[in-house]
Amino acid sequence: MNAFKISRRALSVALAAATLCGSAFAGEVEVLHWWTAGGEAKAAQALAATLKAKGHSWKDFAVAGGGGDSAMTVLKSRVVSGNAPAAAQIKGPSLQEWAKEGVLTNLDDVAKAEKWDSLLPGPIANGLKHKGHYIAAPVNVHRVNWLWVNPEAFKKAGAKVPTTWPEFFAAAEALKKAGIVPVAHGGQNWQDFTTFESVALGVGGTEFYKKALVQLDPATLQSAKMKEVLETFKKIKGYTDKNSPGRDWNLTTAMVIRGEAGMQLMGDWAKGEFVAAGKTPGKDFECVAAPGTAKAFTYNVDSFAMFQLKNADNIKAQRDLASTLMSPAFQELFNLNKGSIPVRTGLNLDKFDACAKASAKDFGDTAKSGGLVPSIAHGMAVPSAAQGAIQDVISQFWNSDKATAADTMKKLVSAAKVR
């Protein structure tokens, strides 16, 4: 009898321990991402800690390199083998491509409980849905159409910070005469394309941008306005330096930081370089909308697609992950590290700098006015195959002295049909 009682007691203790373990690690969440450096890595660690605090185990699936290309290669092999992670860093039209494969899960329960529809601007929310159902959770918004300026360089040149393209070229000419590289540009195709989309938005306006670079309308791609866009874009090259080809974007930003160059057209991730160098916005550098785009906002949203799982505990962990990504605490923490702004509206931005506050205001204003548009250069506007083909055409035009706007427009129409 005593032996039996001891056995029962031991069993009770074991069951209690198992219960505690179950509550400590209710489910496992495996997350594929490429946040492997600097502030991004810190944010990933904070996300892992938050999930662990909710009783789940975190399985880090970080794949560095290639701006996500390497990660997507690994993800495809995992999904094909029937071993998908709980979540993967996927954005833009690529979300729809994965959803059509029938491998993503429905997040409407989380989204409805936490009122995502009222917290996210319509264009952003729609991009996270497939056939009206949420399939991904967003973490941030990058503004792409920024112009970064070194005020000391402008002062030396007697130049005015531009708000229009004629003012941009006037400033560039003044900087050139002062012996300063007018425009810092890294000659890589994605940087060419980033510059091009800001020119298209500034010269053509939001409706032109939507028709040409979101809807890929053939008539707009061959219009007189597109010819003006291409010629304005090509004119910028004359104000870049001979070492531009192949240069990484952060090294290009460093030119502006040091005053070797006067300005750079680049997304808000450039701000991280200025801040890391101990520079203060509004004093050591200025962030202004790219010429002609003050009332528009090209967005790049990082998000996590959620894959279908079978284990109930892991599904619960996955739901908690989606909830955490949209939580005010994580939105603040991540974006303070990343240089972007919270995608969730209505948050207190007291801890954010002047550039972020300006970006957040413009994000809200353009969401209401219709000036909020997806970045084609950063995978938010069109399928990846068409994006790559159009990007190649734009870089060919930039790099060739013989390429004409007329021929390039024809090539753009053909590239837009690539699927």
Side-chain angles (χ1 to χ4, degrees):
M1 178 70 77
N2 288 340
F4 178 68
K5 286 181 179 178
I6 292 171
S7 297
R8 287 190 61 180
R9 186 176 299 137
L11 179 60
S12 297
V13 170
L15 288 171
T19 302
L20 286 172
C21 287
S23 62
F25 297 105
E28 178 182 84
V29 58
E30 183 179 18
V31 181
L32 171 63
H33 64 90
W34 53 92
W35 293 339
T36 57
E40 293 176 331
K42 289 181 181 178
Q45 291 164 8
L47 181 59
T50 302
L51 267 292
K52 289 176 182 176
K54 293 191 176 193
H56 305 299
S57 62
W58 172 276
K59 188 174 182 180
D60 202 58
F61 187 5
V63 181
D69 291 341
S70 301
M72 289 304 98
T73 300
V74 175
L75 178 62
K76 287 173 184 175
S77 66
R78 285 283 301 270
V79 173
V80 168
S81 66
N83 185 30
Q89 196 176 344
I90 303 172
K91 65 180 182 179
S94 292
L95 286 170
Q96 308 305 318
E97 294 172 8
W98 281 101
K100 288 173 184 175
E101 296 297 320
V103 293
L104 300 185
T105 194
N106 185 318
L107 295 175
D108 286 348
D109 53 344
V110 178
K112 185 176 180 180
E114 300 187 0
K115 302 179 180 179
W116 288 8
D117 277 343
S118 65
L119 295 172
L120 298 170
I124 305 296
N126 292 337
L128 300 166
K129 296 177 180 178
H130 178 66
K131 295 183 177 179
H133 302 291
Y134 279 99
I135 52 171
V139 293
N140 69 341
V141 179
H142 279 294
R143 186 181 195 177
V144 181
N145 59 311
W146 279 119
L147 177 69
W148 303 93
V149 171
N150 183 308
E152 189 62 32
F154 267 66
K155 185 178 178 181
K156 286 179 181 177
K160 173 189 172 186
V161 176
T163 59
T164 66
W165 286 107
E167 289 178 358
F168 177 91
F169 291 115
E173 195 62 36
L175 288 162
K176 186 176 181 179
K177 288 179 180 177
I180 299 167
V181 175
V183 184
H185 181 78
Q188 296 171 338
N189 60 1
W190 74 269
Q191 294 189 64
D192 299 340
F193 209 27
T194 297
T195 297
F196 172 77
E197 75 174 18
S198 282
V199 176
L201 185 62
V203 172
T206 54
E207 291 309 309
F208 167 84
Y209 181 96
K210 290 174 185 176
K211 286 183 180 179
L213 302 181
V214 181
Q215 300 167 18
L216 303 180
D217 175 59
T220 307
L221 289 171
Q222 296 182 94
S223 64
K225 184 59 69 175
M226 180 57 81
K227 182 174 184 290
E228 183 183 352
V229 167
L230 287 165
E231 289 173 345
T232 302
F233 169 67
K234 191 65 169 283
K235 188 176 179 180
I236 295 171
K237 190 180 180 184
Y239 293 100
T240 63
D241 67 301
K242 63 180 182 180
N243 296 319
S244 172
R247 186 169 54 216
D248 289 337
W249 72 269
N250 55 321
L251 300 179
T252 305
T253 302
M255 294 172 63
V256 182
I257 294 172
R258 293 191 298 265
E260 295 169 12
M263 48 188 169
Q264 179 188 21
L265 289 155
M266 186 54 63
D268 57 16
W269 47 90
K271 183 180 68 177
E273 298 298 306
F274 284 96
V275 173
K279 305 300 181 181
T280 303
K283 178 186 174 185
D284 303 310
F285 68 97
E286 293 186 36
C287 48
V288 296
T293 72
K295 294 184 179 180
F297 189 114
T298 42
Y299 64 83
N300 175 19
V301 175
D302 286 318
S303 57
F304 280 90
M306 304 291 169
F307 285 80
Q308 292 177 5
L309 303 174
K310 295 178 181 179
N311 181 284
D313 288 339
N314 291 351
I315 290 172
K316 174 63 169 63
Q318 183 186 59
R319 293 304 196 265
D320 283 347
L321 171 64
S323 176
T324 299
L325 290 170
M326 269 289 284
S327 69
F330 182 74
Q331 288 274 314
E332 178 182 275
L333 171 67
F334 179 79
N335 288 288
L336 282 171
N337 279 298
K338 188 77 159 56
S340 45
I341 60 171
V343 66
R344 177 185 175 125
T345 57
L347 289 185
N348 185 310
L349 299 178
D350 286 350
K351 293 181 182 178
F352 288 78
D353 61 36
C355 291
K357 289 175 181 175
S359 185
K361 182 182 184 302
D362 290 346
F363 179 57
D365 290 347
T366 56
K368 295 174 184 175
S369 69
L372 190 61
V373 295
S375 167
I376 183 171
H378 295 275
M380 299 302 301
V382 302
S384 55
Q387 176 194 334
I390 294 170
Q391 182 169 280
D392 287 345
V393 170
I394 293 305
S395 280
Q396 288 166 12
F397 177 68
W398 176 268
N399 291 311
S400 173
D401 293 333
K402 296 180 180 179
T404 65
D407 287 341
T408 298
M409 289 190 288
K410 292 177 183 177
K411 291 179 180 178
L412 285 175
V413 173
S414 297
K417 296 176 183 177
V418 175
R419 291 292 184 270

